[in-house]
Amino acid sequence: MKLTRRGKGVLAVAALAFLLGVGYGARSLDAVLVPSLVALAIGAVQVFRRDRPVVRRTRPVPGFPGETRTVDVGVESNLPCDVHEETGEGLRAIDPDARLAGDGEYEYEVELLDRGEHALGPATVVQRDTLGLVSHATHVRATTPMLVYPTVEPIANRTAFAGLVERAGTEDRDAFDRLREYSSGDSLRDINWKASAKQPEGEFVVTEFAAQDEGGISIVAESEPGYADEMASAAASVAGYLLDADLLVDVVAPGGEVETGRGEEHRNRVLELLALTGAGRVGGNRGDRAAVYVSAGEDGTTVRVRGTTHRFESLVADDAGERSAVGPTDRPRRVSA
C-alpha cells in the first residue's frame, strides 16, 4: 500500500496546513489539515479492505507470424484500478494498459512474432480508493496460452510434387456401392453433383464405391539443434500444399505425429504439431520410407520427394522450376562471406 501522486499532494497540503496552524492559530488546522487526514484515512481503509482482483482473458485464435490478434480482458475489482498486461517472448502487445472504474472489460492488440506457444499475462492490477489517494499493486500470475503457427510459404514449383500428387490422388474404384450424405473429411472429388442438385436445402451427396484404396502421403521432418523453425516452416508449407490438393496427409516430427487425414481440422492439427515441435530426430528409418522427407540444419533446409532432393528455397521461389532439383546426395552447403 502506498500513496499515489494525488495522495502525496494531499499529504503535502496537510503538512503545510500544520505549519500554518502552528504559526497562525488552530483555525487553519480545522479548515485544511483535518479534512486532508480524514480523506487519507478513508482511502487507506478502502484499499486495506479491497477484494483481490481477478483477471480473465479470452484465448485468441492461433495465427501466423506477422499477424495480429485481439485479446479481450475482463477485470473483477471492487475499486477503480489500472491494469498492465505483460506478454511472453514471441509476442508484442500494442497498448496493453487500461484504466477501469471497478469491474470492467477492455481489449488490446497483440502482434505475433515467433513460432511456438507463448503466454498472455501475467497482469499487474493497481487498485485505488475512490479519491485516488492510496493504491496497492497486485500481481495476478494467471496466464493464457497463445499459439503461433510456423510460417507457411506458397509452393511455386509444383512439378516437384506432380508425380506424388498424381499417385496419391488415384483411387482404385471397383464398382458403385451407394449414395450417402456428405460428412466432414470426405473428398470433394466424391461429391455427386447431379444427385446433390436434387436434394432439399442444398445438401451434398457422396458416391461411395465398393472398394477404395486412396494412398496417403507421409511427411517426416527432422532438424539439427537450432533449426527447428526452418524445419517446421518447410514441413508446414509442403503439408499445406498437399492438403490444398485435397489429399490425405500424415506428418511425423520430433514433437509427435498427426495421423492420416484431410480437411481444415486436420490442417490445424498439423500446424499445431509443427508450432510446438522442437529440433531432433524421429527415430528408426521412418525418414527413409516417407514420401516426403524434410531436413533442416547447418547446410540449409531440403525437401526430398520420392528420392529427389530439393532446396526448400527453390520450391518457393518464382524461378523454382529452373533450379529446383539436386541429386539425392548433393546437399546444398551454406557459404559465408
Side-chain angles (χ1 to χ4, degrees):
M1 186 184 303
K2 64 179 183 179
L3 294 177
T4 64
R5 182 179 300 178
R6 183 183 300 178
K8 293 178 181 178
V10 171
L11 183 61
V13 170
L16 179 61
F18 177 78
L19 294 176
L20 292 176
V22 172
Y24 298 97
R27 182 174 299 180
S28 299
L29 291 174
D30 296 337
V32 178
L33 179 59
V34 174
S36 299
L37 295 178
V38 170
L40 290 172
I42 293 175
V45 171
Q46 285 185 339
V47 173
F48 179 77
R49 299 180 60 183
R50 73 192 183 283
D51 294 335
R52 182 177 177 82
V54 177
V55 177
R56 296 187 176 88
R57 26 182 118 69
T58 59
R59 182 175 184 176
V61 176
F64 298 91
E67 295 182 341
T68 59
R69 291 291 184 269
T70 300
V71 183
D72 296 316
V73 182
V75 181
E76 297 180 9
S77 171
N78 62 336
L79 292 175
C81 59
D82 296 328
V83 184
H84 174 71
E85 276 270 280
E86 301 175 20
T87 56
E89 295 182 3
L91 304 174
R92 185 177 72 87
I94 303 173
D95 193 17
D97 300 318
R99 192 175 183 88
L100 305 174
D103 291 357
E105 297 181 357
Y106 79 104
E107 62 182 32
Y108 67 94
E109 299 293 319
V110 62
E111 182 180 1
L112 314 184
L113 302 178
D114 300 321
R115 175 188 73 96
E117 186 174 70
H118 310 289
L120 297 170
T124 300
V125 181
V126 181
Q127 295 171 290
R128 309 179 309 276
D129 66 291
T130 53
L131 295 178
L133 305 179
V134 183
S135 67
H136 185 276
T138 302
H139 194 62
V140 182
R141 299 183 179 277
T143 61
T144 300
M146 173 74 226
L147 187 65
V148 182
Y149 291 145
T151 300
V152 175
E153 302 284 355
I155 299 296
N157 181 14
R158 302 185 178 183
T159 58
F161 300 92
L164 182 67
V165 171
E166 291 173 0
R167 181 184 65 82
T170 301
E171 296 182 356
D172 180 17
R173 301 167 186 262
D174 291 342
F176 171 80
D177 185 14
R178 63 190 179 94
L179 295 176
R180 62 173 176 80
E181 183 180 350
Y182 175 85
S183 61
S184 177
D186 288 332
S187 173
L188 297 179
R189 297 191 299 271
D190 291 339
I191 295 180
N192 189 316
W193 298 104
K194 186 174 181 180
S196 298
K198 302 177 182 179
Q199 300 299 313
E201 301 180 359
E203 296 179 356
F204 291 110
V205 174
V206 174
T207 301
E208 194 168 84
F209 294 85
Q212 293 194 30
D213 183 18
E214 183 180 5
I217 300 176
S218 179
I219 301 174
V220 173
E222 298 180 332
S223 80
E224 298 175 5
Y227 294 89
D229 288 344
E230 292 83 352
M231 172 197 68
S233 177
S237 301
V238 173
Y241 171 74
L242 297 175
L243 289 171
D244 286 340
D246 197 31
L247 300 176
L248 290 167
V249 175
D250 65 270
V251 178
V252 182
E257 61 182 290
V258 177
E259 296 180 353
T260 305
R262 60 154 59 93
E264 287 304 312
E265 292 184 6
H266 185 70
R267 184 195 305 267
N268 292 338
R269 289 194 293 270
V270 170
L271 289 172
E272 182 177 355
L273 167 65
L274 295 174
L276 299 175
T277 189
R281 304 293 177 184
V282 300
N285 59 346
R286 302 182 71 171
D288 297 334
R289 302 195 308 267
V292 179
Y293 175 68
V294 177
S295 177
E298 185 178 356
D299 292 334
T301 304
T302 58
V303 179
R304 189 181 70 226
V305 184
R306 301 182 67 187
T308 302
T309 301
H310 309 263
R311 299 179 181 90
F312 176 65
E313 312 89 79
S314 68
L315 295 177
V316 300
D318 292 338
D319 58 344
E322 301 178 4
R323 57 180 178 86
S324 64
V326 298
T329 60
D330 183 16
R331 294 177 59 83
R333 297 181 179 179
R334 177 174 298 177
V335 179
S336 300

